[in-house]
Amino acid sequence: MRSLNRLLNPRSIAVVGGGTWCENVLKQCHAFGYTGQLTAVHQKRSEVAGFPAVSSLDQLNEVPDAIFVGVNRHATIEVIRQAAQLGAGGAVCFASGFREAAAELDDGVGLQEELVAAAGDMPILGPNCYGFINALETASLWPDQHGLAKVSSGVAIISQSSNIALNLTMQARGLPIAYIMTVGNQAQSGLSHIGEALLDDDRVTAIGLHIEGIDDLPSFEAFARKAWACGKPVVALKTGRSDQAQAATVSHTASIAGSSAGATALFNRLGIAEVRSLPVLLETLKLLHVHGPLDSARIASLSCSGGEASLMADLGLTHDVVFPDLTHTQSDGLREALGPKVALANPLDYHTYIWGDSDAMTATFAAMMTGDLALGLIVLDFPREDRCDGAEWEKVIGSIEAAANLSNKPMGIVSSLVEALSESIAADLIDRDLVPFSGMEEALAAIAAASNMSPPPADNVFISQPLTSPETLSEHEAKQQLGAFGIRVPKSASAASPQEAAEMAEHVGFPVVLKGQGIAHKSEAGAVVLNLNSREDLQLAAEKMSVGTFLVEAMVTGAQAELLIGIVRDPGHGHVLTIAAGGVLTELLQDSVSLTVPAGRSEIEKALGKLKISKVLAGYRGRPACDLPKVLDTIMALQDYVQSGTVEEAEINPLLCGQDFAIAADALIRCGQNHDG
């Protein structure tokens, strides 16, 4: 793997080109305080933006560690070729018009391939990207203004959008940002490679990702595993989810899973916190920078307002954050600190009786933190610094800091309004190891994300190559294949005519189910009839179906619940295992959970427990419980089947679950051949 060290931590920078963007790189790098050698390269000019210029890279006094290439796309290739031959440390390719413009430019793909070939072993970022900012070393290969300040440590953010990266530099939430990286087309150095390089910097505390599409799944998994090994948590914001929905939608699984569920399942597997907005990305990074991942989502909230306490309680329901009931120890300590007039609860409104009394506030905050909590929050909006005096608020901060030290538990401050927590106060709180959360909703979303992180399992994500000409097996064939892997299926027989179907029913044994074959969603097409008890009824039902072949199956009775168990190959995220409430109402019920393959038995059991239908599986209102071990056996067997061959989709819907059985009543399989097969 190409080392990015010289490029990311350059002692010398050369800027090739003389347009406005190149001038900006020189000006901004100088303004940021970069102390290394900074030189311009231009064929005709002797200076660019006040910096002396040479006519070509080989005229420089020394080979640069980093080069910003701001010329047109054709000239970029020649500059990169010369830089590689000289042994430069790496380059940022600013120009567009490569693979990202393939629909508009016939030569876009070919030019990108030329660019990569020209670079050889020299690392490049882009093309079609802004570059990067290293706020640790004040190195700014960045063609625009930015809002970063020099830091001694902080988080790194990698974005597939240069403009989003630019916007993030302007945050005023107190988050120390060590690196801002843009990846553009990822022609050579992808998000995962860059992420691994940033992990090697001891000053980086956590990594944030803005992802449109994962560059390479094995590399991304390697990056995530290295992050856990380094103790540096990762948080991701995945966009463009609907655009990457599955192309194959013949199964219910594909319509439920899509790339949204696939991305979430992959992040969960790899121990990456997932968020859904840029503000929550920044707030989660703040929490991870100060304290790292949380052991749970059990938190305490304290404020001097009942309105604020109510807002926190309501938002906790929205974001799966838990405010545990007070223990006797907490109640006793709080009562001693607050007296008899305050109603004790979590979230707590401690009123204003103790405002300004540092000892009483410390005792109150410390008493609350004696519970089984992952984090304690004080709701506190600061007065405007331009019009008000905030001296009394400093006492609250001091009491929180003291309580955190006494309890040895993480604590933070959350403002109800983003504007009510200034950048300077937020930075001061971070210096005191207190998390400054800007906004209640963002804070609780960040806590939920940071509490849902666990190390990746030992098994790697199962990846298979794209298939050519995938075909849908008949239900009879699908069940034969599943049966060979130990999945229980009903006794059945295939028939080519209504008359033959009636004869087969005698062998199967009444009551039976009649199905028309060759239809993906039989119920919607009227191609399934249940509980037929005679040859005459069966033949009449078959004659009404507009199909060529039939499947006659033994009727399964005694089912307590119906599940959907499906696996879909997701090009960006491996294979997605979806477990859901099954039957004809699958999409309507929206009761599903997704994992990546292979999922362990205990992980699957935990996922089943998250479904609303899990109460039915366990025996709802006195009804018998289903045989959970047999359900788990079936899911494990379906995973084994998918991993054994060339399967695009495999679905059981419904899996009929009873007291002593789990039977695949319907199955759909699409399989094909590997490209090299």
Side-chain angles (χ1 to χ4, degrees):
M1 183 180 293
R2 299 172 179 85
S3 172
L4 297 176
N5 185 57
R6 286 177 63 196
L7 174 61
L8 298 185
N9 297 277
R11 293 174 298 175
S12 57
I13 297 173
V15 179
V16 180
T20 300
W21 298 110
C22 292
E23 290 181 353
N24 285 343
V25 174
L26 292 162
K27 292 176 181 177
Q28 291 298 319
C29 206
H30 177 71
F32 200 29
Y34 179 68
T35 57
Q37 183 175 341
L38 187 60
T39 313
V41 178
H42 195 279
Q43 287 184 335
K44 300 178 180 179
R45 294 166 58 179
S46 59
E47 63 85 26
V48 176
F51 290 84
V54 297
S55 60
S56 64
L57 287 173
D58 57 8
Q59 298 299 308
L60 294 170
N61 294 330
E62 63 179 77
V63 177
D65 289 324
I67 304 171
F68 184 91
V69 184
V71 295
N72 69 58
R73 60 193 185 120
H74 293 283
T76 293
I77 295 173
E78 297 309 313
V79 172
I80 292 299
R81 181 176 288 112
Q82 184 182 32
Q85 291 171 348
L86 290 172
V92 170
C93 300
F94 178 66
S96 58
F98 292 87
R99 187 182 293 274
E100 88 287 348
E104 295 78 24
L105 299 172
D106 292 338
D107 62 350
V109 174
L111 278 180
Q112 184 157 309
E113 292 173 351
E114 285 186 49
L115 178 67
V116 173
D121 292 332
M122 183 187 73
I124 58 172
L125 302 184
N128 185 37
C129 81
Y130 255 35
F132 70 93
I133 305 167
N134 178 345
L136 299 162
E137 304 291 347
T138 62
S140 175
L141 278 79
W142 190 261
D144 208 335
Q145 299 181 79
H146 66 81
L148 297 191
K150 180 177 173 58
V151 296
S152 58
S153 68
V155 305
I157 299 177
I158 310 172
S159 175
Q160 288 186 245
S161 165
S162 293
N163 205 59
I164 284 179
L166 172 61
N167 296 340
L168 290 175
T169 71
M170 304 299 177
Q171 62 89 24
R173 297 167 179 256
L175 175 67
I177 299 177
Y179 288 92
I180 283 280
M181 307 289 307
T182 62
V183 298
N185 292 10
Q186 304 182 82
Q188 181 215 71
S189 298
L191 178 149
S192 303
H193 181 197
I194 294 168
E196 287 208 52
L198 294 173
L199 291 173
D200 290 334
D201 193 324
D202 292 338
R203 299 165 293 179
V204 171
T205 56
I207 293 182
L209 306 175
H210 164 257
I211 303 175
E212 294 170 1
I214 291 172
D215 54 338
D216 175 74
L217 187 49
S219 298
F220 188 75
E221 182 173 15
F223 156 65
R225 291 183 181 279
K226 180 175 179 178
W228 269 97
C230 294
K232 299 184 180 183
V234 179
V235 54
L237 169 61
K238 173 74 165 60
T239 61
R241 304 164 78 87
S242 60
D243 292 339
Q244 294 200 359
Q246 294 292 325
T249 56
V250 300
S251 70
H252 292 281
T253 304
S255 63
I256 295 172
S259 68
S260 176
T264 296
L266 180 67
F267 295 150
N268 287 341
R269 180 189 188 93
L270 298 180
I272 294 174
E274 184 181 19
V275 298
R276 298 298 174 89
S277 72
L278 291 171
V280 177
L281 174 68
L282 294 173
E283 296 304 310
T284 307
L285 284 170
K286 269 195 275 186
L287 174 55
L288 296 176
H289 170 75
V290 178
H291 288 303
L294 298 178
D295 295 333
S296 73
R298 295 169 58 86
I299 68 171
S301 171
L302 303 96
S303 64
C304 60
S305 161
E308 292 170 344
S310 295
L311 282 173
M312 290 291 282
D314 290 346
L315 288 169
L317 295 175
T318 304
H319 294 288
D320 294 326
V321 170
V322 179
F323 295 99
D325 292 338
L326 298 179
T327 66
H328 291 302
T329 302
Q330 286 174 298
S331 296
D332 291 344
L334 289 169
R335 181 63 67 210
E336 183 178 350
L338 293 170
K341 296 181 181 180
V342 176
L344 303 182
N346 182 23
L348 175 67
D349 168 18
Y350 60 83
H351 294 256
T352 55
Y353 302 120
I354 60 172
W355 183 261
D357 185 336
S358 296
D359 291 340
M361 287 190 292
T362 299
T364 299
F365 303 154
M368 179 64 93
M369 295 310 295
T370 59
D372 178 17
L373 302 167
L375 181 71
L377 292 178
I378 311 301
V379 180
L380 192 65
D381 284 54
F382 291 83
R384 291 179 58 129
E385 295 176 326
D386 58 339
R387 299 177 184 175
C388 305
D389 181 1
E392 290 296 314
W393 278 254
E394 174 59 32
K395 294 180 181 178
V396 185
I397 296 174
S399 293
I400 299 170
E401 185 178 16
N405 291 331
L406 286 170
S407 65
N408 196 30
K409 289 181 181 177
M411 295 190 71
I413 287 177
V414 55
S415 63
S416 59
L417 298 176
V418 175
E419 303 92 326
L421 181 58
S422 70
E423 185 173 22
S424 60
I425 293 174
D428 177 60
L429 291 174
I430 288 176
D431 287 341
R432 301 181 188 217
D433 288 332
L434 300 175
V435 188
F437 287 112
S438 304
M440 290 179 173
E441 187 156 11
E442 291 87 350
L444 295 187
I447 291 166
S451 65
N452 188 33
M453 304 175 72
S454 57
D459 293 335
N460 287 332
V461 175
F462 172 64
I463 302 172
S464 65
Q465 297 302 312
L467 305 178
T468 58
S469 305
E471 296 181 351
T472 303
L473 303 181
S474 71
E475 184 181 345
H476 187 59
E477 292 174 311
K479 287 181 173 174
Q480 284 182 322
Q481 293 201 13
L482 295 181
F485 277 77
I487 295 175
R488 186 177 172 186
V489 298
K491 184 179 179 181
S492 64
S494 186
S497 68
Q499 295 80 11
E500 187 179 358
E503 293 175 8
M504 291 297 102
E506 296 281 3
H507 297 290
V508 171
F510 292 104
V512 297
V513 178
L514 176 68
K515 300 177 180 179
Q517 298 201 83
I519 299 173
H521 304 302
K522 299 179 181 65
S523 297
E524 291 89 328
V528 57
V529 182
L530 306 177
N531 207 28
L532 294 168
N533 287 286
S534 69
R535 291 186 55 155
E536 293 76 19
D537 289 346
L538 187 140
Q539 184 167 337
L540 182 62
E543 289 171 349
K544 293 180 180 180
M545 292 183 186
S546 300
V547 297
T549 58
F550 305 89
L551 185 64
V552 181
E553 288 190 334
M555 183 78 184
V556 179
T557 59
Q560 303 292 330
E562 295 183 355
L563 291 176
L564 175 148
I565 311 297
I567 298 175
V568 178
R569 192 184 73 84
D570 181 335
H573 311 108
H575 284 67
V576 182
L577 165 64
T578 298
I579 308 169
V584 296
L585 300 179
T586 290
E587 283 95 351
L588 182 62
L589 293 174
Q590 292 292 299
D591 184 21
S592 66
V593 62
S594 293
L595 307 168
T596 51
V597 176
R601 190 180 182 92
S602 61
E603 184 184 5
I604 294 171
E605 184 172 3
K606 182 179 178 181
L608 275 168
K610 295 179 180 178
L611 298 175
K612 298 183 184 75
I613 201 174
S614 65
K615 295 179 180 178
V616 178
L617 293 172
Y620 186 62
R621 291 193 172 182
R623 299 185 69 182
C626 298
D627 193 329
L628 184 59
K630 285 187 170 61
V631 173
L632 295 172
D633 289 342
T634 302
I635 300 173
M636 297 299 290
L638 186 64
Q639 287 194 109
D640 291 341
Y641 167 69
V642 169
Q643 293 179 90
S644 72
T646 52
V647 180
E648 187 81 10
E649 297 179 67
E651 175 184 283
I652 299 170
N653 185 29
L655 177 70
L656 299 178
C657 307
Q659 283 183 265
D660 59 355
F661 64 82
I663 299 177
D666 200 350
L668 186 148
I669 293 174
R670 295 180 73 232
C671 54
Q673 295 181 335
N674 285 324
H675 282 305
D676 56 358

